[in-house]
Amino acid sequence: MVLANSALLPTFARLDLAFERGEGPWLYTASGERYLDFVSGIAVNVVGHAHPHLAAALKAQADKLWHTSNLFKIPEGERLASRLTSASFADTVFFTNSGAEALECAIKMARKYHAANGQPERYRLITFEGAFHGRTLATIAAGGQKKYLEGFGPKVEGFDQVPFADHAALQAAIGPETAGILIEPIQGEGGVRVVPSQCLRGLRDLCDQHGLLLIFDEVQTGIGRTGNLFSYERSGIAPDIMALAKGIGGGFPMGACLATIEAGKGMVAGSHGSTFGGNPLAMAVGNAVLDLVLAEGFLQQVGLLSLIARQRLAEIKDMYPNVIDAVRGEGLMLGIKTHVANSEVVSALLRQNMLAVGAGDNVVRLLPPLNIDEATLSEGLNRIERACADIDADIKAKLIGGTKA
Ligand SMILES: *Cc1c(COP(=O)(O)O)cnc(C)c1O
């Protein structure tokens, strides 16, 4: 039976727009129409579409071996884990297929850590309003958003949510059952809300004082998106556990949970698992992504592009104060808070053949590939300016129309 015009479960409000191929920051429809992509699959395609180094790594692995299961050693995974730990605070890695699964591993690990310490009653995690951690039963409970929880039965126990940036509420939420604090260093879906570095340091101190684990959800911020390999680096402190996904596979579905040896000490043979996690295809692509992102000068270039983009966006904001309220973000994870509905700006950009994605707090997210060249970045910023000009003209036409009537 065919329902409506699609056999897909209608959980996504999709645009009537499909692409046939991509090249760097560009996407092409079957009829050859070209779009400038500042969505990047929601911060996933860190080196754009169809990058030859990634495609070659995937094809080479596809000709050798696809899948063996975690019953056996996977050399590409050993290598990727050791590269990720060398480049971070972490000592150990668990590979997953998605961000939510990386968070599930992080949540289980935090609970198991205290159980291994003889305090199984410490299983609760403090989370923040506006957070997004995924769509599994535990991660919707962690995110605490009513619209994602409603109708799905009892909420998974063990998450205490406090308002964003409310220090008193945070202090008050710590109790004898608290296991740790879970936070995105920059809220992505919540609207590109940057947690200031001094707050991240404050969280570290609080965790150290109370014997809590600090868990960073860097699913969106990780792998160079913010101009550092990981967003925690800017603060000078490190978490105990970190969830990654999105950019780590450059478009191949994968995620990872990284941890210190101490935080991971409860996780022993049999305590967690995944059939597909760390599969050779994913690991080959993950290594290829790191070849590019860790290359000399790559992250510095992200910082430079960020400066260019932010400066230009500030100018556009001054030109169209009716449209843009504020510009925020780090690296190439940028948000424009708008006065008009953010969806109106996304639509105006679409009319300029440019893709951007909305977020909470009435923000339009700009997530270009990290290796975009300066000229194409400027082209994107021109299109943003034109979209703002269109909206501004509309607002003024309405005002004049209003006076006449
Ligand atoms: C996207 C996202 C997730 C969920 O990742 P999935 O791969 O969709 O499960 C979790 N946390 C953050 C911060 C994200 O941006």
Side-chain angles (χ1 to χ4, degrees):
M1 185 170 68
V2 178
L3 291 166
N5 57 3
S6 173
L8 293 171
L9 193 69
T11 53
F12 293 103
R14 296 172 197 271
L15 289 177
D16 188 16
L17 179 62
F19 300 103
E20 188 183 53
R21 66 187 181 90
E23 195 181 326
W26 298 99
L27 281 168
Y28 296 83
T29 65
S31 64
E33 210 188 341
R34 187 168 86 145
Y35 286 79
L36 184 51
D37 184 8
F38 276 34
V39 174
S40 298
I42 316 187
V44 167
N45 309 302
V46 279
V47 291
H49 299 285
H51 193 289
H53 184 63
L54 268 50
L58 183 61
K59 284 176 201 159
Q61 188 59 46
D63 285 335
K64 283 196 293 188
L65 187 64
W66 287 28
H67 183 80
T68 56
S69 92
N70 287 300
L71 294 171
F72 309 100
K73 280 203 166 180
I74 298 171
E76 299 82 3
E78 302 278 350
R79 173 154 179 263
L80 183 55
S82 109
R83 294 173 83 188
L84 287 169
T85 55
S86 299
S88 72
F89 72 93
D91 306 305
T92 182
V93 182
F94 182 89
F95 287 113
T96 68
N97 311 291
S98 68
E101 286 170 276
L103 265 305
E104 288 275 345
C105 179
I107 295 162
K108 287 177 73 176
M109 184 184 283
R111 291 180 175 197
K112 198 78 164 175
Y113 165 81
H114 291 288
N117 280 342
Q119 296 183 296
E121 73 283 1
R122 296 182 73 173
Y123 68 93
R124 308 192 71 82
L125 291 178
I126 296 170
T127 65
F128 295 84
E129 274 175 16
F132 181 79
H133 299 297
R135 298 295 203 111
T136 61
L137 287 169
T139 56
I140 56 175
Q145 295 205 42
K146 218 171 152 203
K147 62 179 176 184
Y148 297 147
L149 283 161
E150 244 166 26
F152 293 115
K155 184 177 152 208
V156 170
E157 247 291 279
F159 298 95
D160 299 309
Q161 193 155 65
V162 298
F164 192 77
D166 184 338
H167 294 196
L170 175 61
Q171 292 269 2
I174 298 173
E177 294 183 347
T178 306
I181 298 174
L182 168 60
I183 191 167
E184 300 159 78
I186 303 176
Q187 283 191 348
E189 303 306 306
V192 193
R193 295 203 291 178
V194 180
V195 180
S197 291
Q198 84 255 24
C199 295
L200 296 179
R201 289 193 286 274
L203 289 177
R204 180 72 272 176
D205 287 343
L206 211 53
C207 284
D208 292 344
Q209 275 165 37
H210 295 271
L212 308 177
L213 294 173
L214 182 58
I215 307 168
F216 281 179
D217 179 347
E218 293 228 26
V219 166
Q220 192 157 153
T221 53
I223 314 293
R225 178 52 60 187
T226 67
N228 287 118
L229 187 59
F230 305 111
S231 178
Y232 76 81
E233 294 170 24
R234 70 182 150 92
S235 66
I237 57 98
D240 303 294
I241 302 173
M242 173 169 72
L244 297 177
K246 294 206 163 93
I248 194 174
F252 196 94
M254 65 177 292
C257 177
L258 277 63
T260 62
I261 279 285
E262 175 66 11
K265 72 182 181 185
M267 302 298 263
V268 296
S271 50
H272 195 48
S274 168
T275 298
F276 291 123
N279 146 312
L281 293 170
M283 298 298 97
V285 182
N287 275 306
V289 169
L290 281 192
D291 292 343
L292 300 172
V293 173
L294 294 177
E296 185 76 32
F298 185 94
L299 293 170
Q300 285 94 312
Q301 179 66 9
V302 175
L304 182 74
L305 294 170
S306 177
L307 278 177
I308 293 169
R310 288 154 63 112
Q311 195 163 18
R312 185 72 194 287
L313 290 169
E315 285 166 18
I316 300 171
K317 172 181 177 288
D318 289 344
M319 292 165 73
Y320 302 107
N322 278 339
V323 183
I324 300 184
D325 178 4
V327 176
R328 58 208 198 192
E330 297 267 342
L332 290 176
M333 180 172 177
L334 297 171
I336 305 174
K337 188 168 162 65
T338 56
H339 287 299
V340 296
N342 58 353
S343 57
E344 230 182 276
V345 177
V346 170
S347 301
L349 285 169
L350 202 59
R351 290 193 292 274
Q352 303 286 336
N353 278 37
M354 175 164 171
L355 309 176
V357 60
D361 203 24
N362 207 38
V363 160
V364 177
R365 258 179 304 174
L366 305 174
L367 304 162
L370 306 181
N371 64 343
I372 191 169
D373 63 78
E374 227 179 286
T376 313
L377 179 70
S378 294
E379 173 59 31
L381 293 160
N382 290 342
R383 291 183 191 205
I384 292 166
E385 184 181 324
R386 290 203 291 271
C388 289
D390 279 357
I391 293 168
D392 187 60
D394 268 1
I395 294 170
K396 286 178 178 152
K398 270 182 206 144
L399 280 177
I400 293 162
T403 358
K404 272 187 195 155

